[in-house]
Amino acid sequence: MMDYLSSKLDKSPIATAPPTIPPVAPRFPSPNLEQDQIPSSSIKYPTMLSPTNGVKTGSSSSHLSTPPGPPVFTSPVRPAAVPFRTSPATPQPVALSSGSSLPTSSPPYFSNGSVELQQQLPSAIEEPVPDGKSPCILFSANKVLKYKKQANVPSLGFGVLVSPGREASPGPQVIQRDPHRCHYCGAYSNLYSNILIGSGQWQCVICGNLNGSEGEYIALSKEELRNFPELSSPLVDFIQTGNKTPSFVPVTDSRTSAPVVLVIDECLDEPHLQHLQSSLHAFVDSLPPTTRIGIILHGRTVSVYDFSEESVASAEVIPGGTSPNQETLKALMYGTGIYLSPMHASKEVAHLIFSSLRPYKLNVPEASRDRCLGAAVEVALAIIQGLSADFSRGVVKRPGINSRIIVCASGPNTYGPGSVPHSYTHPNYPHKEKSALKWMEHLGHEAHKQNTVVDILCAGTCPVRVPVLQPLAKASGGAFVLHDDFGEAFGINLQRASARATGSHGLLEIRCSDDILITQVVGPGEEAHIDNHETFKNDISLCIQMLSVEETQCFSVSMENKHDIKSDFVFFQFVIQYSNVYQDDITRVITIRLPTVDSVPEYLQSIEDEVAVVLIAKRTLLGAKSYSDAIDMHTTIDERVKDIALKFSSQVPKSKLHRFPKEISLLPELLFHLRRGPLLGNIVGHEDERYVLRNLFLNASFDLSLRMVAPRCLMHREGGTFEELPAYDLVMQSDTAVVLDHGTDVFIWMGAELAADEARSAAALAACRTLAEELTELRFPAPRILAFKEGSSQARYFVSRLIPAHKDPPYEQEARFPQLRALTTEQRAKLKSSFIHYDDPSFCEWIQSLKIVPPEPI
């Protein structure tokens, strides 16, 4: 994974600039549960739900604890999609004007953005024009407050979630030509640009500059301009298909022929080795026949397996105590062995190699075993680089297609380059660790230069020294995942890691109207310093280098008003440049226009609660580096909720209390889930797990981030249907089964009464497992799926994530959990008697303790 980026243009009292902390993936296994699928029509929802992307429209929204809307069920498991769709789509026609009253010789006048110039030049687009919604861009509000003092309340904030790798649906407009860009600020022409159709000149919406189009936009009527995709759609892709990469060799499908090299830890005990072998056998069976595979083992030495031997597992052995020298690599590369081979020619040999693996024989503790992981990755890079490298001159040519190294580790790197001592008590451990960190980061950067992503999948009970290994994955653009063992969950993530579509050489540019200031960016990238002044006179865009471009990633961008806004609209342009898996150079341009308002209630009504809570949560998690920090964040959330109520609502009549604003009634319960859940609560006991969860969350997509904040609860009904309900403990009704999706975990809870009926419980469990698979079939890392009965010891994982609403008075329970009204008096009494008292407050008790009246339920 990657670094966190902070644009230190300004600092909020609540959201400080993030530190450089390596994000890693979570330590959760996921059994591969094979069950019949549930058709999408079999899920029943009693309340109005959010759209599929989890964002509400207007006043229609899901219940407080039920974001996002129902999934679109598809058959598992399908290959991951290409990051960006590049097929042409039908243009969306918009109305364009046919004239202008501004002489083409008139110089532009700049003041407060482009207000004055836009007043002089009639818009080339007639109203109504869509404000440009895109699944890749999710704003916390669909309108912007005009007044700086009101807009810049830090407790609520304003911002946007940018998902550069998310596939757009329907597909974007595709343009196979160079875009028109503003000569002054570098922005791109778009559907909001004012066009002088007589001369073809267009006005930039970001700076107001008037630019030429080399006559391309000259038209006789507005209808002719509709043929330009960038003038008719808020999202367009500019594509250059010619590959200019040195040593590029065309292939039918570069995605399926890209090399995958497995770097496997050979220091495993018997039980772990058996699980690993099963996962590896399943992995090679899942690979496409054109995929080229390499297999390397590492312990005290590096063993590079030779696929030219068809009946025996044969390997070249290289010392692991130092980095391999050029003579060693030349002998390996120019020898008779075959170390990368397509699956159709090497599958049987691969199975033979995996079957030949043997458990660790010496009587040495796991943490003290010698593992030369760093040297093994160096050899893997050399194999991928192959004959394209000129070893005599030390020149490395970039391979034409993306490659992937997948490290299967069971312990720390304790031997050779990038290693740390076996014990933390070593007198020179701090210095050794610091040197290892730098070395691993350097190796990751070298891999990135070669278009090679390094994923590290760890498993077992031995600590792997995550802070030391993680920079290797981060700097290369790869993922770091922890598992409890090498079983089914590990196998699933092994397959999903290799199938992930990853774009490379990514660059994200963000331009805003002059009224808006970007204060902070959090996500999988680092600030890129690009000097465009020779091309563009005043390019003040924020540029972010993305080490990889994937659907699972997201950038959180916080913004403020620089001053009071006078114009009726503000504009935002997001430009994503990258090379896709087919080596096409893509420039995706997304332009969004948001109206400005001076009415606070109107602004609050436009807030997308779920997007806002993810932005708030990512800012909050930046400060939760340790468990004690996480506890401190509880107070931060409390103060945030109180400040929002104080600033955006009025007092209750005949009371000194404030009622939380009804327009954003979803927000406090979502924040309550964040406060008590695994990210900030005490559900996760081990500091390492808390660490990896936090870092995964800070880079995660909107959908996964939302699920990690607030779980989604679905109750099984007769006939295989499911009803979505609030994530309250009132859902634990003994005659039902419940599925709880909390992002990195999916729980299946079986009531005791239902479990006693063998036939009914088997059918319910099968339906719940199928639903769990459907909800998570493309999620990476794959979550663990746990099923248990009411009253079992494992049920505590489920109960601890539900809001203890049983402590509320009956009228409050019915208002927030209407399903209770369907229960008989006897059933309600039985449900009430099943709860065990403990000190955790309910949502209503918590918000009332803040001297705030809770919002009315929707």
Side-chain angles (χ1 to χ4, degrees):
M1 302 295 285
M2 279 130 310
D3 213 341
Y4 304 140
L5 168 71
S6 176
S7 174
K8 300 179 182 178
L9 304 177
D10 194 8
K11 291 187 177 180
S12 164
I14 290 184
T16 58
T20 304
I21 296 178
V24 293
R27 186 180 184 180
F28 294 122
S30 166
N32 185 13
L33 305 171
E34 296 291 340
Q35 299 292 341
D36 296 333
Q37 297 176 37
I38 300 176
S40 59
S41 59
S42 67
I43 293 191
K44 176 178 64 178
Y45 302 94
T47 57
M48 181 67 71
L49 298 176
S50 302
T52 303
N53 64 2
V55 182
K56 72 178 184 180
T57 56
S59 61
S60 297
S61 61
S62 63
H63 195 277
L64 296 177
S65 60
T66 58
V72 179
F73 291 132
T74 53
S75 58
V77 170
R78 63 170 182 249
V82 178
F84 294 154
R85 182 173 170 179
T86 56
S87 57
T90 305
Q92 301 173 6
V94 296
L96 305 174
S97 71
S98 58
S100 170
S101 59
L102 178 69
T104 57
S105 59
S106 300
Y109 173 68
F110 303 100
S111 174
N112 188 24
S114 57
V115 178
E116 283 76 8
L117 183 57
Q118 288 180 350
Q119 291 174 348
Q120 298 175 31
L121 180 60
S123 172
I125 304 176
E126 297 175 354
E127 299 295 341
V129 177
D131 287 328
K133 299 293 182 66
S134 169
C136 308
I137 307 295
L138 299 175
F139 278 92
S140 61
N142 295 318
K143 296 178 181 178
V144 178
L145 272 173
K146 288 187 174 183
Y147 301 115
K148 177 181 177 180
K149 184 177 180 180
Q150 295 174 334
N152 293 353
V153 174
S155 55
L156 185 56
F158 173 75
V160 61
L161 297 174
V162 183
S163 302
R166 182 163 180 169
E167 184 177 356
S169 180
Q173 307 287 345
V174 177
I175 307 173
Q176 290 188 314
R177 58 171 169 79
D178 292 332
H180 292 293
R181 302 188 63 178
C182 176
H183 301 305
Y184 189 73
C185 72
Y188 293 69
S189 62
N190 56 80
L191 77 166
Y192 305 114
S193 299
N194 298 314
I195 310 292
L196 294 170
I197 62 174
S199 64
Q201 291 176 291
W202 62 278
Q203 182 191 3
C204 176
V205 298
I206 300 298
C207 70
N209 187 57
L210 200 61
N211 303 275
S213 64
E214 299 179 354
E216 198 167 17
Y217 290 162
I218 295 176
L220 296 176
S221 65
K222 60 186 179 182
E223 286 77 14
E224 290 186 26
L225 292 179
R226 296 176 182 174
N227 295 323
F228 293 97
E230 69 268 36
L231 302 183
S232 62
S233 172
L235 188 154
V236 293
D237 280 354
F238 296 90
I239 301 178
Q240 297 292 334
T241 56
N243 193 288
K244 307 176 182 65
T245 305
S247 75
F248 175 72
V249 178
V251 292
T252 304
D253 188 340
S254 61
R255 179 176 169 188
T256 58
S257 63
V260 176
V261 177
L262 297 174
V263 176
I264 303 169
D265 188 344
E266 66 177 5
C267 300
L268 273 67
D269 294 326
E270 181 72 33
H272 286 315
L273 179 61
Q274 290 179 358
H275 286 146
L276 176 61
Q277 286 175 315
S278 298
S279 296
L280 292 173
H281 285 304
F283 170 70
V284 295
D285 285 336
S286 71
L287 292 176
T290 57
T291 298
R292 289 179 291 161
I293 188 173
I295 300 174
I296 296 176
L297 260 64
H298 69 279
R300 190 173 178 85
T301 60
V302 179
S303 301
V304 187
Y305 278 87
D306 183 1
F307 290 98
S308 65
E309 298 286 347
E310 297 183 359
S311 59
V312 64
S314 174
E316 293 286 341
V317 180
I318 301 173
T322 59
S323 295
N325 57 42
Q326 292 186 359
E327 293 302 317
T328 301
L329 295 178
K330 284 175 66 176
L332 191 68
M333 293 297 102
Y334 294 98
T336 59
I338 299 174
Y339 307 110
L340 275 179
S341 178
M343 282 308 306
H344 65 79
S346 58
K347 180 179 291 189
E348 295 305 318
V349 181
H351 283 303
L352 183 64
I353 294 170
F354 297 147
S355 298
S356 71
L357 301 181
R358 295 293 179 264
Y360 190 79
K361 295 297 185 182
L362 300 179
N363 186 23
V364 178
E366 281 188 295
S368 300
R369 297 171 186 175
D370 289 336
R371 299 176 178 88
C372 57
L373 186 151
V377 173
E378 286 185 299
V379 173
L381 285 171
I383 291 174
I384 292 173
Q385 180 182 316
L387 299 178
S388 66
D390 185 345
F391 290 105
S392 62
R393 299 182 181 179
V395 176
V396 177
K397 295 182 180 180
R398 193 179 76 182
I401 52 180
N402 298 330
S403 308
R404 189 176 298 275
I405 295 173
I406 302 179
V407 178
C408 305
S410 69
N413 180 35
T414 53
Y415 187 67
S419 64
V420 291
H422 297 110
S423 173
Y424 288 107
T425 60
H426 189 282
N428 207 22
Y429 188 89
H431 172 73
K432 292 278 190 180
E433 183 182 53
K434 186 176 181 180
S435 300
L437 284 167
K438 292 182 179 180
W439 192 90
M440 285 293 182
E441 185 176 19
H442 173 74
L443 183 61
H445 285 305
E446 290 300 311
H448 183 251
K449 291 178 182 177
Q450 296 184 34
N451 279 11
T452 300
V453 171
V454 182
D455 293 325
I456 302 178
L457 307 186
C458 303
T461 57
C462 178
V464 294
R465 317 279 173 91
V466 173
V468 177
L469 292 183
Q470 197 275 336
L472 171 58
K474 177 197 71 172
S476 69
F480 194 106
V481 188
L482 291 176
H483 305 84
D484 287 339
D485 55 46
F486 289 97
E488 289 176 307
F490 178 88
I492 290 173
N493 278 325
L494 192 61
Q495 295 179 31
R496 293 185 183 179
S498 66
R500 276 193 349 268
T502 306
S504 60
H505 307 97
L507 187 70
L508 171 63
E509 298 179 6
I510 304 176
R511 294 177 176 86
C512 312
S513 295
D514 187 53
D515 309 295
I516 302 297
L517 174 69
I518 297 175
T519 58
Q520 187 181 75
V521 178
V522 180
E526 53 194 33
E527 190 168 2
H529 301 282
I530 300 176
D531 188 4
N532 284 330
H533 291 292
E534 293 184 5
T535 307
F536 309 110
K537 298 178 182 178
N538 189 34
D539 186 359
I540 57 173
S541 63
L542 175 65
C543 296
I544 303 164
Q545 180 184 359
M546 300 178 290
L547 298 177
S548 65
V549 185
E550 302 180 23
E551 289 194 51
T552 57
Q553 299 171 349
C554 180
F555 290 90
S556 169
V557 184
S558 299
M559 302 176 176
E560 291 183 354
N561 287 22
K562 288 183 181 178
H563 39 64
D564 292 347
I565 301 174
K566 299 178 181 178
S567 57
D568 294 330
F569 298 97
V570 288
F571 296 90
F572 305 85
Q573 191 168 81
F574 306 87
V575 181
I576 303 150
Q577 301 178 43
Y578 76 109
S579 297
N580 67 7
V581 292
Y582 303 104
Q583 295 301 293
D584 298 325
D585 292 330
I586 311 295
T587 299
R588 168 163 291 186
V589 181
I590 307 170
T591 309
I592 306 293
R593 182 184 71 175
L594 295 183
T596 58
V597 295
D598 51 17
S599 166
V600 172
E602 188 177 355
Y603 169 71
L604 293 177
Q605 187 62 41
S606 76
I607 290 178
E608 306 287 358
D609 302 68
E610 294 162 353
V611 178
V613 80
V614 169
L615 283 161
I616 291 172
K618 295 201 178 207
R619 292 199 298 266
T620 303
L621 261 292
L622 287 173
K625 302 173 190 176
S626 65
Y627 177 70
S628 59
D629 293 334
I631 298 303
D632 292 340
M633 291 302 107
H634 291 186
T635 304
T636 300
I637 292 177
D638 295 348
E639 294 301 319
R640 184 185 297 274
V641 172
K642 287 194 289 187
D643 192 64
I644 292 173
L646 181 65
K647 298 285 178 57
F648 294 103
S649 67
S650 56
Q651 287 184 343
V652 177
K654 300 180 180 179
S655 172
K656 295 182 179 179
L657 303 179
H658 283 73
R659 181 183 296 276
F660 199 86
K662 63 181 180 180
E663 296 90 349
I664 49 175
S665 58
L666 286 172
L667 197 61
E669 186 167 322
L670 294 173
L671 289 174
F672 186 56
H673 275 297
L674 170 66
R675 188 183 188 276
R676 66 189 307 275
L679 292 171
L680 292 177
N682 57 6
I683 293 176
V684 177
H686 198 280
E687 194 64 28
D688 286 348
E689 291 187 5
R690 188 185 309 279
Y691 174 84
V692 297
L693 272 178
R694 170 183 178 269
N695 288 284
L696 170 66
F697 176 77
L698 289 173
N699 282 341
S701 66
F702 165 71
D703 298 306
L704 178 56
S705 297
L706 182 60
R707 286 282 67 79
M708 291 177 72
V709 169
R712 186 180 183 195
C713 185
L714 297 137
M715 178 182 284
H716 178 261
R717 293 302 190 188
E718 296 298 330
T721 61
F722 286 85
E723 180 181 2
E724 187 158 1
L725 296 171
Y728 291 176
D729 60 0
L730 300 174
V731 78
M732 295 192 300
Q733 298 163 24
S734 188
D735 61 340
T736 63
V738 179
V739 176
L740 189 75
D741 180 5
H742 212 167
T744 54
D745 295 272
V746 179
F747 303 105
I748 300 173
W749 180 88
M750 306 288 292
E753 185 178 325
L754 175 65
D757 188 330
E758 187 174 342
R760 287 181 59 221
S761 65
L765 180 59
C768 290
R769 283 179 168 173
T770 302
L771 176 63
E773 289 178 347
E774 291 281 3
L775 292 174
T776 64
E777 62 174 336
L778 297 180
R779 194 174 295 175
F780 181 80
R784 65 175 176 177
I785 302 175
L786 296 178
F788 36 74
K789 297 179 182 179
E790 178 183 3
S792 66
S793 61
Q794 284 187 316
R796 69 185 187 276
Y797 296 122
F798 174 79
V799 176
S800 62
R801 296 161 194 258
L802 299 173
I803 292 177
H806 74 275
K807 304 176 72 175
D808 294 331
Y811 70 87
E812 195 75 65
Q813 294 178 0
E814 288 190 9
R816 300 184 182 277
F817 199 88
Q819 189 264 352
L820 282 180
R821 299 168 188 164
L823 302 183
T824 65
T825 304
E826 182 181 351
Q827 288 174 322
R828 292 191 65 166
K830 186 177 180 180
L831 176 63
K832 181 179 180 180
S833 65
S834 67
F835 295 113
I836 300 174
H837 176 76
Y838 51 95
D839 294 335
D840 282 4
S842 69
F843 166 68
C844 291
E845 289 177 332
W846 168 70
I847 200 168
Q848 288 168 356
S849 72
L850 304 178
K851 309 300 182 184
I852 299 172
V853 179
E856 294 293 333
I858 297 177

